[in-house]
Amino acid sequence: MAGLISLVLLGLLIAYIVLKPSRYNGHTTGKGVPIHILVLGDIGRSPRMTYHALSIAKHGGKVKLIGYLETSPHPDILTHPNITLIPLPTPPSRPPSVPFLLFAPIKVIFQILHLSYLLLYLLPPSAWLLVQNPPSIPTLAIASLTSYLRNSHLIIDWHNYGWTILSSTRGPSHPFVSLSKIYETYLGRLGSHHLTVTNAMARQLRAAPYSIPPHKPMIPVHDRPAAIFQPILSPDARNEALDKILFPSGREYYRALVSGKMKLLVSSTSWTPDEDFSLLLSALTMYAARPDAVPILALITGKGPQKEYYDDKIDALVKEGKLPNVRIATLFLPFEDYARLLACADLGVCLHMSSSGVDLPMKVVDMFGAGLPVVAYGGYESFGELVKEGVNGRGFETGEELAGVLGELLKPEGENELKHLKKGAVEEGRRRWDEEWDGTVGRLMGFVEESS
């Protein structure tokens, strides 16, 4: 695969030399500065890059937000006059009969051709090119080449590492994992500026094998909730929101939720291997077997490749009678309804297992923004940068531990602790994305003065 992709890149480089793309020669700060944001994924499920776009647009920058339009983006993205959506064509899907080793190069070449033509010729040059990593293939190669040829500052926003995600899905011995690691650690150094989601990641990127040199700015920008995520503190407002969200599928549980006889549990998942959903099913099965179990409505939101598999497992557990007093529903909600759901819930559950050990789940940030305490998988280094044990949430590493925490918090005797955790979640959610962004990226790009 590497040889074939190298030939494609070499051919493109020759084409670039012959058909030189225009270069950026304008101002790099202030109102009107053009900025391209590249998301090689679904924009509707890329909240951090969405918030970057909104922050830049708010300060007068002209944003072209590039990515796939598979789900509805944030409503403000669609209406902001300073943001233009540039949809990418969906790459071909792998037929079940075609091995991954044979299909992967086809998909990558498809992306290389479309991205290079778009970034180098169809779009005008930009002062800044902000890219999300991962995915790193082929994003980092095309972005590095584009920034060099078009005189753009390249900002790499490190959410995680592509090679560690590939290792978790394909196994550490897969040949693509080694190639991906070499590719990512080398090309990652070509960014002129770097953003990270945690302090731990910033430290790691300075060390081997990444070895990003000290003269290149490395700025931790912690995910913070957007304004759309707000606590609902009034019982009447919560009841009204529940009435809208649950209708018609969960209508039968409305009275029990309003009266407090049933607890509302919410988890958001992308239905991928880095979130072991079987942990939650195992925990709910053990919880349901407790004689003092308070009834639960567990709403699981999101889209992804393993959803159908787990829907079948849930149906099987119900038919076997292993989930008494527990009702599980999987659904996908528009952005506004998802924000309301978090604010209405009693407890959030996060199953994110960091492949790198140094990233953090955005979904927990959103839960805190909505004032929702969290029970989250905590077996990785950066966990404590977000979830404070006993303050705004609780951690677990096994299904047994999760079942135990649910039993403690949801029974009547756990009401005071749950209220304490909710207070901590509300406090954690007070610092918002705009404040975090203005003090970091806003200053880097020159939209915010150092003294402000």
Side-chain angles (χ1 to χ4, degrees):
M1 179 176 113
L4 182 58
I5 294 174
S6 297
L7 287 174
V8 173
L9 289 172
L10 179 61
L12 289 172
L13 182 59
I14 294 172
Y16 301 151
I17 294 172
V18 176
L19 305 170
K20 290 183 179 180
S22 59
R23 291 171 61 82
Y24 185 75
N25 295 310
H27 61 291
T28 58
T29 61
K31 290 185 177 181
V33 63
I35 298 172
H36 294 169
I37 299 178
L38 174 60
V39 182
L40 200 60
D42 178 23
I43 292 174
R45 287 180 284 176
S46 303
R48 183 175 168 97
M49 304 309 282
T50 292
Y51 300 158
H52 277 307
L54 290 171
S55 294
I56 293 168
K58 172 186 172 184
H59 286 283
K62 297 293 186 180
V63 179
K64 286 185 168 54
L65 181 55
I66 307 159
Y68 300 122
L69 295 180
E70 297 171 356
T71 59
S72 297
H74 189 292
D76 291 348
I77 288 287
L78 301 173
T79 58
H80 203 293
N82 287 347
I83 299 176
T84 303
L85 281 175
I86 309 294
L88 290 174
T90 303
S93 299
R94 180 172 68 91
S97 59
V98 179
F100 175 77
L101 279 169
L102 294 178
F103 182 78
I106 298 173
K107 179 180 178 179
V108 171
I109 291 171
F110 177 91
Q111 292 173 324
I112 287 173
L113 293 174
H114 280 282
L115 281 178
S116 57
Y117 183 57
L118 175 69
L119 292 174
L120 287 161
Y121 298 107
L122 284 184
L123 296 180
S126 62
W128 300 85
L129 174 57
L130 171 59
V131 301
Q132 169 184 302
N133 186 77
S136 56
I137 300 174
T139 308
L140 293 183
I142 299 301
S144 300
L145 190 60
T146 299
S147 63
Y148 174 74
L149 292 172
R150 307 207 77 175
N151 195 33
S152 301
H153 295 291
L154 175 59
I155 303 178
I156 301 176
D157 190 5
W158 296 82
H159 298 195
N160 204 341
Y161 308 136
W163 73 269
T164 62
I165 294 174
L166 188 62
S167 177
S168 68
T169 57
R170 297 291 167 183
S173 61
H174 196 284
F176 280 4
V177 174
S178 298
L179 290 173
S180 177
K181 183 176 181 179
I182 293 170
Y183 167 94
E184 189 170 15
T185 54
Y186 174 73
L187 289 178
R189 300 170 199 160
L190 301 183
S192 56
H193 304 76
H194 300 267
L195 311 177
T196 65
V197 294
T198 64
N199 297 322
M201 182 177 285
R203 292 191 297 269
Q204 199 171 82
L205 286 170
R206 291 295 192 197
Y210 306 95
S211 303
I212 294 175
H215 70 273
K216 294 189 174 185
M218 178 83 64
I219 305 172
V221 183
H222 287 91
D223 286 321
R224 307 305 304 172
I228 195 171
F229 294 98
Q230 297 289 342
I232 297 178
L233 303 178
S234 161
D236 289 341
R238 178 181 184 264
N239 295 346
E240 183 180 348
L242 276 175
D243 187 44
K244 292 179 180 178
I245 295 167
L246 296 178
F247 186 83
S249 57
R251 188 65 183 171
E252 60 187 294
Y253 308 115
Y254 175 77
R255 292 187 181 278
L257 290 169
V258 169
S259 67
K261 294 179 180 179
M262 173 178 271
K263 297 296 184 180
L264 179 56
L265 200 72
V266 173
S267 183
S268 174
T269 178
S270 56
W271 300 105
T272 53
D274 68 338
E275 294 177 328
D276 185 2
F277 190 72
S278 62
L279 262 180
L280 180 55
L281 288 185
S282 173
L284 289 175
T285 301
M286 286 183 276
Y287 172 86
R290 297 167 65 109
D292 60 345
V294 174
I296 288 177
L297 172 61
L299 297 182
I300 317 300
T301 71
K303 290 183 178 180
Q306 294 187 326
K307 181 179 182 298
E308 186 176 347
Y309 168 77
Y310 280 109
D311 278 338
D312 291 341
K313 290 195 72 170
I314 292 168
D315 289 342
L317 288 172
V318 171
K319 290 176 181 177
E320 293 167 8
K322 293 183 178 181
L323 291 173
N325 284 333
V326 175
R327 301 293 179 267
I328 304 174
T330 60
L331 67 163
F332 185 81
L333 293 173
F335 212 76
E336 302 96 319
D337 288 345
Y338 174 63
R340 292 192 194 100
L341 174 63
L342 295 186
C344 291
D346 295 293
L347 191 62
V349 176
C350 176
L351 303 169
H352 175 78
M353 295 180 177
S354 173
S355 65
S356 63
V358 291
D359 70 319
L360 285 172
M362 183 72 190
K363 64 195 72 178
V364 172
V365 175
D366 295 337
M367 290 175 182
F368 286 159
L372 179 62
V374 173
V375 179
Y377 179 84
Y380 52 96
E381 179 184 346
S382 56
F383 177 76
E385 288 190 34
L386 181 59
V387 180
K388 308 297 189 294
E389 184 70 29
V391 177
N392 53 27
R394 297 278 299 273
F396 68 88
E397 293 189 27
T398 66
E400 291 84 357
E401 291 178 2
L402 176 54
V405 173
L406 293 179
E408 291 174 25
L409 295 179
L410 298 182
K411 65 184 180 181
E413 294 82 358
E415 185 177 349
N416 286 337
E417 184 180 359
L418 194 58
K419 286 181 178 178
H420 173 72
L421 295 179
K422 184 175 182 65
K423 183 179 178 182
V426 171
E427 186 61 33
E428 179 66 30
R430 290 191 192 281
R431 182 173 171 85
R432 294 285 160 162
W433 172 261
D434 285 344
E435 185 180 353
E436 179 80 9
W437 194 90
D438 286 355
T440 52
V441 189
R443 291 182 178 180
L444 172 66
M445 289 184 164
F447 288 115
V448 179
E449 295 182 2
E450 289 291 334
S451 59
S452 64

